[in-house]
Amino acid sequence: MGEHIDSGQDLVGRDDLVEEVVSALSGSQYLGAILIGEAGVGKTALARTVAKHLDGTVSLLPVSASPSLRKVPFGALSPYLHSLSINDVGSSIAVYRSLMSHLDSSSNGSKKMPLFLVDDSHELDDSTSVLLSQLVAGRRARLLALARDKPGPTSEFSAMQQDGLLRRYDVRPLTDLEVHELCRRELGGDVLASVSATLAKMSGGNPMFLLALLRQAKRSGYLGVRNKVWRLVGPAPPLDVSLIDLIKARFRRRTPAQMSVLETLALAEPMPFDALVHCTDRLGVSELHEDGLISIADGRERLVTLSHPLYGEVIRQDVPAGRSLTIRRKVLDVFDQESSTADGFLRFVAWGLDCGLPPDDKTLLRAAVVANRLHDADFALRASRAVHTPELRGNALVEIARAQMTRGHFAYAREIVDEVLDQCTGFTLAKEASLLSIALRVRGEDAPNQIRADVVRWEHIAERIAAAADSPDDPQIKLGLAVSRNGYRIMEGFALNYEGRFREAEGILRDVLADRYCTDEVRLAGLSLLGEALGSTGRALEGTRASGEALQIIATHGNQFVGHTEFVLTRHFTSLAHAGLWDEIEELLDTLVRSKPSGPTSFTGITELSEGLIALRKGLMSSARTSLILGVEGLRESDSNQLMPMALGLAAFSCTMVGDTTRARGYATEFEGCASLGTMQARLLGKVHVVAANALFQGAARSIEELHVLARKAEADSMTVLAVVALELAGRLGDERCFEPLARLARTFEGPEGAVLTAMADAAVRKDPAALMDAAELAQSCGYLLIAAECLGKAVRYLSQRGEEHKSRTVQQKLNTIIGQLEGLQSPQFEAVRSTAKLTQRERDIAKLAGKGYSNREIADAQGVSVRTVEGHLYRIFAKLGITRREELPGADSASTG
């Protein structure tokens, strides 16, 4: 068949489509189906899977069309025309009889319906197309035809579709989530979201291209595995020769005019339609669009691109230097690079550098800025090093330093930044260099004091610039000083947040935000930090409003502030998490991270960390462990917000909760090695979870005491959320003293999480089963399954202690249901809740016999115990399982027990 896709296992993302096609071919409404899609999208693999599902009900007759057979009447049917004489080759009637003879002889009297599976049906000759249409219309056979979207199925098949005889199915490229799943399946392990996102972008979601890229990436070492997690290592290798040949085959038999269009687009895409037509040939553009090789977007400019990301990479390799230079000169006359996408803009600038026709220095500097935003350090260095205008040299050095920081060359970046600040003569450059200096500070020891040193230096530079001005009273100088002052005061607030001194930071941040010279850039930074401070002190809803406003500022300024997105989003996620607004986090991950081409790369680790935190709070333990392991590995690649200490603590705790003690020990040990890095909040959040995880190794009593110490210190320092987390974890370890201070602190919190924790703690303090059941219902409705289970577990215990066994069994049934949803939970610390539903081996044996209808005497004889002992066991079994009759025992035979 035309496309090769492995079909040894179930297709990713095609289950519903397979079911629909099988239904259409099995039912009476349609006589067949047509699968339409681009080459390599998986039509052949889909057809094979459909054929497997139909095995036993149809007689499969594969038909392979091809360009070489298109001029041969009935050539594609030759495998089924053995009885045809040489003289009858041109006779339609003779061909029909020969084909029917083959069908009759191959059926051997069976009633299986013949099914023609026609691959590349768009290449069928007219005679074959007409004959197959007649057979299908006459209900002598059924048809499953595969065709490319351009040029599409034959006219006969199209007519049958329009008449309702054939059902059309469009086979789309894989979504990003489906690409991620196929990567996991092909690599045989967990994969960072940034890896699958990069490969999704390169492959365009085409399964054939994706599999080829994956295999090449493994062979070349571009993909590497660490701690059982696949990640990208080093620069991308050149495309594999076999993949290049496969793509080049799509451009064969193209006219010179069409090749001119393809080459121009490969070098300059995306291009406005009018610009492309002006540089090339209108008819060629139209023909390529009709054949599906180029795409034309809606909109005023009608941007034109090649229809697949890999096409341009292959075509560019074959354009000679002289031809490239000629095309560029044509394009420069008509092409407005401002209309291009970020990737297209960078490609256009790189093309100019390659041709010896570089753009002006301002454009080169802008390209360096864009490349750094996209984490393309190599091109940022290339563009910034080509800037020679003295007035722009300081800005170029800042971009060079930023690129070196991305590469991990922190000492080199520090030297460059210090050089720029020593010679700085402009307010804007002082701001950019100072912010970059602070970004370098957070990666080292004693970050808050180092940040304050940078703030003082920034202040001195601003004063030096003002003093050197011709007129200190110049409005621009005054404005520059005022804006700079707000900038370094914001950084003072950042240093205070870094130390966990949120109340002090709040005052400074509110003052700056109220200042008349608070620019939009300063405002978005101030709002982000204010959101962090509010969220960390129990005012999470107010915090999300502040950081949400910062996100809105970014959204309304195009690409101007896009470089601040990660800084703002990370703090916004934190506030949302403190509030318990999980759906909002998921929505933001979809709209601002996963859906952006550069998003997962720049947010490496943060996506997985957010998903892991959500799963952990919900009690989905296996999912939490997987996501947090991925989050740790992602943050090893990039951790500009210094979240690693928190990620390690959460990962250690999640591993403990599912019984993965080896990883739990490893993460706890690694945490101790980096416990002095990161913000105070991240370090202490990691610390409390490591302490809780260590209960498995050092005993719950010691961990509980450590958690109380941490909670008291956090409360004294106004780190209210941290205190609540420590107390909640103490309660999870079996501590009863924690609930009174937990209720007192959580009562002041905003959002669903505060309400859930308050209800649980209040009910636990009063040991009130009814209140605990109400708290469990609230927790479950808000998605906190683990807290709901803990509340119900306490309610069961208190009801049993009061002798209210009937109510206890009812609550136990609810508890059993929730425990079943706490995927993978094996934590000894949670045994107090689990044990009420966990049967001993003796109890399981007795329950099994009772379920099969054995009497108490028969069970006693089989187990070698007294009847009274059996009765006692059954009483406890019924209580644990929350049931009242033998018929309700797991696996009970109603006929035997009834």
Side-chain angles (χ1 to χ4, degrees), residues 45 50 84 141 147 213 249 311 343 371 374 404 449 474 571 775 842:
V50 168
L84 190 68
L213 289 169
Y311 291 175
D343 286 340
L374 297 178
Q404 296 294 357
N449 288 326
D474 185 329
R571 285 153 180 81
R842 173 60 63 86

Side-chain angles (χ1 to χ4, degrees), residues 829-851:
Q829 291 94 331
F830 197 50
E831 196 65 27
V833 173
R834 290 177 57 86
S835 62
T836 57
K838 187 176 180 181
L839 302 182
T840 66
Q841 185 60 52
R842 173 60 63 86
E843 288 169 342
R844 286 197 295 271
D845 293 341
I846 290 175
K848 185 177 180 180
L849 293 172

Side-chain angles (χ1 to χ4, degrees), residues 618 760 772 775-777 779-780 784-796 811 814-820 822 825 830 832-834 836:
K618 287 182 174 180
M760 175 192 70
L772 282 164
E777 185 174 348
Q780 188 173 8
Y784 293 82
L785 296 179
L786 182 56
I787 293 177
E790 290 171 327
C791 290
L792 291 177
K794 292 180 187 301
V796 168
V811 177
K814 296 179 180 179
L815 173 59
N816 294 343
T817 301
I818 294 179
I819 287 178
L822 299 175
L825 185 66
F830 197 50
V833 173
R834 290 177 57 86
T836 57

Side-chain angles (χ1 to χ4, degrees), residues 226-227 604-606 609 628-652 667 670-675 677-679 682-683 685-687 690:
R226 181 177 58 198
N227 293 332
T604 298
I606 294 178
L609 179 60
L628 289 168
I629 288 172
L630 288 169
V632 168
E633 294 306 315
L635 292 175
R636 295 190 201 280
E637 306 296 319
S638 175
D639 187 16
S640 61
N641 288 284
Q642 299 299 286
L643 298 172
M644 182 61 88
M646 180 177 73
L648 288 169
L650 293 171
Y667 287 133
E670 188 175 353
F671 171 84
E672 297 303 330
C674 69
L677 300 177
T679 67
R683 280 156 38 197
L685 277 171
K687 178 68 174 177
V690 165

Side-chain angles (χ1 to χ4, degrees), residues 403-458:
Q404 296 294 357
M405 183 177 71
T406 299
R407 284 180 160 186
H409 301 158
F410 302 127
Y412 186 20
R414 163 58 52 202
E415 291 178 14
I416 298 173
V417 169
D418 288 342
E419 177 186 342
V420 172
L421 288 170
D422 287 343
Q423 302 175 14
C424 183
T425 59
F427 291 117
T428 301
L429 181 57
K431 177 202 73 175
E432 294 294 338
S434 294
L435 292 179
L436 182 55
S437 178
I438 290 169
L440 288 166
R441 298 294 191 199
V442 300
R443 288 167 165 79
E445 302 281 350
D446 196 24
N449 288 326
Q450 294 295 325
I451 292 169
R452 290 190 178 92
D454 275 344
V455 167
V456 171
R457 178 164 61 172
W458 185 358

Side-chain angles (χ1 to χ4, degrees), residues 261-287:
V261 175
L262 292 171
E263 289 171 347
T264 302
L265 268 183
L267 293 165
E269 68 175 334
M271 285 188 70
F273 178 84
D274 290 341
L276 179 63
V277 167
H278 188 277
C279 292
T280 57
D281 175 74
R282 181 180 290 272
L283 179 60
V285 172
S286 176
E287 291 169 338

Side-chain angles (χ1 to χ4, degrees), residues 6-82:
D6 288 348
S7 58
Q9 51 187 325
D10 293 337
L11 297 174
V12 171
R14 307 296 195 204
D15 291 348
D16 291 344
L17 188 54
V18 168
E19 185 177 339
E20 288 183 30
V21 177
V22 168
S23 176
L25 292 172
S26 304
S28 58
Q29 182 177 359
Y30 299 102
L31 303 181
I34 308 177
L35 305 181
I36 305 293
E38 66 182 41
V41 79
K43 300 186 297 295
T44 301
L46 179 62
R48 287 173 176 166
T49 304
V50 168
K52 286 181 180 179
H53 280 73
L54 292 171
D55 187 34
T57 62
V58 300
S59 177
L60 189 66
L61 299 167
V63 176
S64 295
S66 67
S68 60
L69 290 175
R70 191 168 189 175
K71 297 179 181 179
V72 181
F74 306 111
L77 294 176
S78 57
Y80 310 113
L81 303 178
H82 299 300

